[in-house]
Each structure stands twice: as C-alpha cells, then as structure tokens.
Amino acid sequence: MDVYSAGVLVFRRAETGVEVLIGHMGGPLFAKKDESAWSIPKGEYEIGVESAEVAAAREFTEELGLPVPDGPWIALGDVQYGSGSRRKTVTVWAVEGDLDPDAIVPGTFTMEWPPRSGRLGEFPEIDRVGWFAPAIAEPKLVKGQRPLLQRLAEHLAGTAPTP
C-alpha cells in the first residue's frame, strides 16, 4: 500500500547559523523517545483529489495551528520510507520564517490506548516543537526524512542539483 504525504520545513537564519523547526510526534508511542521521534510537519493526501502543495499547507496548519509563513516555497523533493506493504512517499518544501514555538496549537488524533483496552484517548499530533541546527535535528528526525536537511543545506549553499 503506497501512502503519499506532503509537508513544509520552516527554516530561519539565526546568529549561530541555519535552524529548522521540527515537531516531536505526540501520543504515547513517542512520549519517552527523542531520537527518530521528531518530524517535519506533514500529512497524508490523496493523489488526484488534492495537490501536494495544498496538502502541505493544510497539514502544516492542522498540526501546528498556524499558517505556513509567507515567502517562496523551495522544493526539496521526495523521500520514501516504510517497510513491508506500507511505503510512504513524502514531498517537502522549505519556507524561510520565524515562528514562536509557544504559539503552536497542535491538532489532535484519537487512538485506542492502552492497546486492546477498548479505551479511546485524544492526543496531540505534535506535543512540542523546537528550533534546531540541522546537525542536532538530524538524529531527532525520522530516519527517512533526514536527507531533506542535506537538500536544504545544498540549496542554501547554492550547490543543489538542478531538477
């Protein structure tokens, strides 16, 4: 089963260099994890029903409660990850901006917790966000999203390959 997702990676230029805004995945499965438990704000969409760009903006707002910052969208391309019969293709754009992590109002999702308990709980899609230098963000991000940091760095350095 192929799943398609789209997202926006916000970056800013700080005194110490470029920083990216990523979110820690909410819910009990990631509560005590840090490495590989953060994500670029993104979400699923259906090809042919909605464009990846529209989905990326919608999901950014749903997950963070804020609109995508104004400015040009930089295409970072696709990454693919997953295992078994579930493969995910994620299309990401970068946008320069400076959002306040304290202004984030995350969307929520419902899941059964604990498993097989019959009890449904509501959890934040992202339980916290933070600005990180790419070298700090890399091990925090889900492994399949890590190449996007290098693509952003190449773009900012003017060394990105031409499509």
Side-chain angles (χ1 to χ4, degrees):
M1 177 173 146
D2 291 338
V3 176
Y4 296 91
S5 202
V8 177
L9 176 62
V10 176
F11 71 95
R12 69 181 180 186
R13 300 168 204 261
E15 289 181 21
T16 57
V18 171
E19 295 178 330
V20 294
L21 183 75
I22 58 175
H24 185 268
M25 292 183 279
L29 299 176
F30 297 98
K32 295 180 182 177
K33 296 179 182 176
D34 189 59
E35 188 169 318
S36 298
W38 293 69
S39 180
I40 294 167
K42 58 157 186 48
E44 293 181 10
Y45 71 101
E46 191 175 332
I47 291 180
V49 173
E50 144 180 77
S51 73
E53 294 93 339
V54 168
R58 174 182 48 77
E59 288 293 332
F60 185 92
T61 300
E62 282 182 16
E63 290 199 358
L64 301 182
L66 299 171
V68 175
D70 290 333
W73 286 36
I74 302 162
L76 298 180
D78 298 343
V79 290
Q80 294 181 336
Y81 54 92
S83 60
S85 64
R86 186 168 164 92
R87 300 282 309 159
K88 181 179 276 194
T89 299
V90 181
T91 305
V92 174
W93 289 266
V95 175
E96 188 167 0
D98 192 5
L99 299 178
D100 178 0
D102 291 334
I104 303 302
V105 180
T108 59
F109 68 96
T110 303
M111 72 179 281
E112 181 182 21
W113 192 259
R116 296 177 295 286
S117 67
R119 290 186 298 215
L120 295 178
E122 193 164 309
F123 303 96
E125 289 191 49
I126 292 177
D127 59 20
R128 63 189 179 275
V129 297
W131 288 104
F132 300 99
I136 304 289
E138 185 175 5
K140 292 179 177 294
L141 275 176
V142 172
K143 189 174 182 180
Q145 296 177 14
R146 294 175 186 172
L148 296 162
L149 296 174
Q150 181 62 36
R151 293 179 194 172
L152 174 61
E154 289 169 355
H155 175 82
L156 295 176
T159 60
T162 54

